[in-house]
């Protein structure tokens, strides 16, 4: 069992900043991948930023230079620092974690989502 607790969303004006957090807990031997996705009304869910299985970072072209993904390994927590926010960033943001359990099985888990709204 793995639980994800996601927080940090809110309402900001264009040009403002937010910092999202996602903490994973439970039966985790190792975390393979940690990332952030978002889904705007009427749109498909898309990858925003992630730590890959190779421990490199990947970003969507639309957020490069504005968003930064980071992690705290001791807390099994991933963050998304969002700067220079634009109205088109408005969406529900979800964290996703892929873990190796002590049983050696692999599981993927989603956070509950947090709303980010950017006003003009």
């Amino acid at each position: 069992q793995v639980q994800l607790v996601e927080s940090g969303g809110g309402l900001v004006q264009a040009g403002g900043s937010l910092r999202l957090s996602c903490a994973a807990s439970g039966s985790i031997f190792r975390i393979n991948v940690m990332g952030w996705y978002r889904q705007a009304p009427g749109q498909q869910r898309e990858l925003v930023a992630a730590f890959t299985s190779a421990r490199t970072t990947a970003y969507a072209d639309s957020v490069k230079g504005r968003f930064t993904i980071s992690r705290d390994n001791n807390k099994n927590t991933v963050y998304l620092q969002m700067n220079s926010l634009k109205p088109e960033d408005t969406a529900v943001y979800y964290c996703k974690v892929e873990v190796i359990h002590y049983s050696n099985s692999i599981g993927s888990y989603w956070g509950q989502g947090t709303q980010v709204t950017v006003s003009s």
Side-chain angles (χ1 to χ4, degrees):
Q1 299 180 10
V2 173
Q3 300 80 41
L4 302 182
V5 179
E6 188 176 336
S7 63
L11 173 64
V12 298
Q13 294 184 344
S17 298
L18 286 173
R19 182 177 174 86
L20 307 183
S21 300
C22 180
S25 62
S27 182
I28 301 172
F29 174 70
R30 187 181 304 277
I31 296 177
N32 285 337
V33 182
M34 305 177 76
W36 291 94
Y37 293 72
R38 68 186 181 187
Q39 187 166 20
Q43 303 293 321
Q44 294 183 326
R45 189 171 298 186
E46 64 174 347
L47 176 68
V48 177
F51 286 104
T52 70
S53 59
R55 298 308 189 205
T56 61
T57 56
Y59 294 92
D61 288 341
S62 60
V63 307
K64 287 181 179 177
R66 300 188 297 119
F67 291 10
T68 303
I69 188 171
S70 61
R71 63 178 182 245
D72 184 331
N73 291 332
N74 290 333
K75 298 180 179 180
N76 283 335
T77 299
V78 62
Y79 305 92
L80 184 67
Q81 179 67 46
M82 304 184 292
N83 298 325
S84 301
L85 284 162
K86 305 174 181 179
E88 51 262 44
D89 295 318
T90 295
V92 178
Y93 284 70
Y94 300 89
C95 64
K96 183 183 180 181
V97 179
E98 180 184 285
V99 307
I100 300 176
H101 300 283
Y102 287 107
S103 64
N104 211 32
S105 63
I106 298 176
S108 294
Y109 301 87
W110 289 93
Q112 80 279 8
T114 184
Q115 176 71 47
V116 172
T117 302
V118 184
S119 62
S120 60

